[in-house]
Amino acid sequence: MKIVIIGAGPAGLMCAYMASQNKNNHIVLLDKNEKIGKKLFITGKGRCNITNLCSREDFLKNVVNNSKFLYSSLSSFTPQDTIDFFNNNGLKTMIERGNRVFPASEKSSDVIKTFQKLLKKQNVEIILNSNVKNAYFDGKKYVVCLDKEKMLCDALVIATGGKSYPMTGSTGDGYKIANSFSHLVVEPKPALCPILLQDYNGELAGLSLKNVSVSIKLAGKKYSQFGEMLFTHNGLSGPIILTLSSLVNKFDLHGVTISIDLKPALDEKQLENRLLRDFETSKSKTLKNYLKELMPSSLIKTFLEKANLPLDEPLCDITKAQRNTIIKTLKAINFTVNSLDKIDYAIVTSGGVSVKDVDPKTMESKLNKNLFFVGEVLDVDALTGGFNIQIALATGHACGQHLAGIEGED
């Protein structure tokens, strides 16, 4: 059987390898880039967080959209299976904070080299710089239309990724193909991306805050994250901001308030007691100098402007009302959101080919026999920590296993 796989990211690479286990299969792997794994190369800042070694239940808690769809594929190819796969094929791995798994070399290129070696051994035909314009079924075969030729195949796998980081080749090509085969495509949105602010000129750019809580209230629900964040030249980024962006990207965020709790470990009463004590022992200090004990110096000017308080007022002259304002602002320094950043700058794409018309065990289309969708092109996305690459590997594995005629486990 001739199988064409469009896209040489982690899903396409794993699918090609698994499908090639059947020696009667002729696997052709197409990619529009000059090399395989181009997006894989830049993941984890070039270190490549390949999976997260946690239980299936904990894993699924980190999947934002359509976690139930992944139950079967993650059961058949677990995070431990991913580790074993690379270890058994010569790539040592290491586990870091948060159960994040990286190649021991800390080089994403070594992950790609492992796939290159395996696919060469399995005689998988790799054709680079291949721009797929469209595809269709002629009644007998699938026809893949390239710039200068047409390629016929018995089975077609779409592993083109989403729309994030388009310079790596993820430009939404798979959505067009899916639409041409009558598949519903859920509107792609940025996920794991910065949040842009209104009325902000970058004065806090480069400031990192640790152990803070950030929250947004939408449709009667409060979305909160605790940890580390970063101010950029046009908004907010950092781990908890990226996570928050994935949780709220279905909403129109323009004009919405985002709040930063600078002291989440203390309630307002505890803060009041601390301020009363400090103000009593440091009466001659100015408010500006005192706040250095509560926050980074670079944040003080903005903090006092938000609280509408004077910079150089001595603590002995601060009124009870002003003290309460300080407490309220420490618990919620507010900024106004403009929008999420462009999908071009998102780590992953939320949305994609609707999973309602895809078999979760084999990744085969329920509308078109021998048409498959794997990886980020599907309407499945997760938080940071190796979850998205594991999803790509697991769905690619499930599809390739089916194409090789190997029965998987439930």
Side-chain angles (χ1 to χ4, degrees):
M1 180 165 69
K2 184 173 182 179
I3 302 164
V4 170
I5 302 169
I6 306 174
L13 293 168
M14 179 59 81
C15 182
Y17 175 71
M18 288 305 300
S20 70
Q21 302 304 302
N22 185 331
K23 299 300 181 184
N24 293 320
N25 285 341
H26 173 203
I27 315 297
V28 180
L29 181 59
L30 305 175
D31 197 275
K32 70 195 305 182
N33 294 303
E34 73 285 356
K35 60 184 179 182
I36 66 172
K38 193 165 184 178
K39 187 175 180 182
L40 199 60
F41 184 73
I42 65 172
T43 58
K45 298 180 180 178
R47 298 176 65 227
C48 197
N49 184 188
I50 54 177
T51 192
N52 191 289
L53 188 57
C54 62
S55 68
R56 182 178 58 197
E57 289 68 29
D58 285 339
F59 192 104
L60 293 175
K61 289 176 184 177
N62 284 275
V63 178
V64 180
N65 289 299
N66 297 312
S67 59
K68 290 181 180 179
F69 175 80
L70 297 169
Y71 191 94
S72 179
S73 60
L74 286 173
S75 297
S76 294
F77 195 72
T78 67
Q80 184 62 58
D81 290 330
T82 293
I83 294 171
D84 294 342
F85 171 81
F86 285 111
N87 289 173
N88 293 339
N89 287 295
L91 182 68
K92 293 181 180 179
T93 54
M94 62 182 182
I95 303 171
E96 294 190 355
R97 177 179 55 86
N99 298 317
R100 300 175 184 222
V101 182
F102 294 85
S105 65
E106 300 190 71
K107 294 180 180 179
S108 57
S109 57
D110 287 341
V111 176
I112 297 168
K113 287 175 184 176
T114 300
F115 274 117
Q116 284 176 319
K117 178 185 69 176
L118 292 173
L119 297 183
K120 183 178 180 180
K121 182 180 178 181
Q122 293 298 116
N123 297 312
V124 171
E125 183 181 358
I126 300 174
I127 305 177
L128 301 173
N129 300 303
S130 299
N131 183 35
V132 176
K133 299 173 74 174
N134 65 295
Y136 61 90
F137 187 67
D138 69 2
K140 292 183 179 179
K141 302 273 188 179
Y142 283 96
V143 183
V144 180
C145 302
L146 305 171
D147 282 331
K148 295 182 180 179
E149 64 175 307
K150 292 182 178 180
M151 189 175 291
L152 302 180
C153 59
D154 302 295
L156 178 61
V157 181
I158 311 301
T160 50
K163 293 188 74 175
S164 59
Y165 287 111
M167 73 282 195
T168 65
S170 299
T171 53
D173 300 341
Y175 305 146
K176 298 174 186 176
I177 297 172
N179 280 149
S180 71
F181 286 107
S182 301
H183 273 269
L184 171 67
V185 174
V186 178
E187 182 186 359
K189 292 182 178 291
L192 300 178
C193 69
I195 295 176
L196 307 183
L197 300 176
Q198 292 183 32
D199 304 321
Y200 170 75
N201 59 17
E203 66 273 12
L204 298 174
L207 172 63
S208 177
L209 299 177
K210 297 182 179 180
N211 301 317
V212 296
S213 178
V214 178
S215 61
I216 295 179
K217 291 181 180 179
L218 293 161
K221 182 177 179 180
K222 186 176 181 179
Y223 297 85
S224 299
Q225 289 294 309
F226 170 83
E228 184 175 351
M229 59 161 286
L230 171 74
F231 284 91
T232 68
H233 69 283
N234 57 3
L236 309 175
S237 190
I240 60 175
I241 298 298
L242 297 183
T243 295
L244 196 60
S245 74
S246 285
L247 301 178
V248 301
N249 64 6
K250 299 294 191 293
F251 297 93
D252 178 5
L253 299 179
H254 188 75
V256 170
T257 296
I258 184 167
S259 296
I260 304 171
D261 184 346
L262 298 172
K263 300 294 176 183
L266 302 175
D267 60 26
E268 290 191 7
K269 184 62 178 176
Q270 290 171 315
L271 278 172
E272 182 182 22
N273 291 337
R274 176 174 175 175
L275 262 61
L276 285 170
R277 187 170 61 249
D278 290 349
F279 281 25
E280 183 63 30
T281 58
S282 305
K283 292 180 180 180
S284 61
K285 270 190 179 181
T286 63
L287 183 56
K288 178 179 65 176
N289 288 331
Y290 167 68
L291 288 177
K292 292 178 183 179
E293 300 176 22
L294 297 177
M295 67 189 69
S297 297
S298 55
L299 182 58
I300 293 173
K301 183 174 182 292
T302 299
F303 179 89
L304 291 174
E305 287 173 353
K306 294 280 186 182
N308 194 27
L309 292 170
L311 281 169
D312 298 315
E313 191 81 4
L315 295 185
C316 59
D317 292 337
I318 296 294
T319 66
K320 180 178 180 181
Q322 288 176 321
R323 191 174 66 244
N324 287 338
T325 298
I326 294 170
I327 294 168
K328 295 288 185 185
T329 311
L330 283 169
K331 294 299 291 180
I333 181 168
N334 296 327
F335 295 86
T336 303
V337 176
N338 184 36
S339 67
L340 296 183
D341 209 342
K342 294 179 181 178
I343 199 167
D344 294 18
Y345 306 115
I347 294 175
V348 295
T349 304
S350 175
V353 177
S354 173
V355 298
K356 292 179 181 178
D357 294 321
V358 179
D359 187 323
K361 290 186 177 181
T362 65
M363 303 299 132
E364 185 173 17
S365 164
K366 295 177 181 178
L367 309 179
N368 304 271
K369 185 174 175 58
N370 287 332
L371 175 66
F372 302 83
F373 298 94
V374 296
E376 195 180 344
V377 74
L378 291 163
D379 180 23
V380 180
D381 64 284
L383 304 179
T384 55
F387 301 102
N388 288 291
I389 290 182
Q390 174 64 33
I391 289 170
L393 294 172
T395 55
H397 183 277
C399 179
Q401 188 178 56
H402 173 74
L403 289 168
I406 303 171
E407 291 298 326
E409 298 178 0
D410 288 333

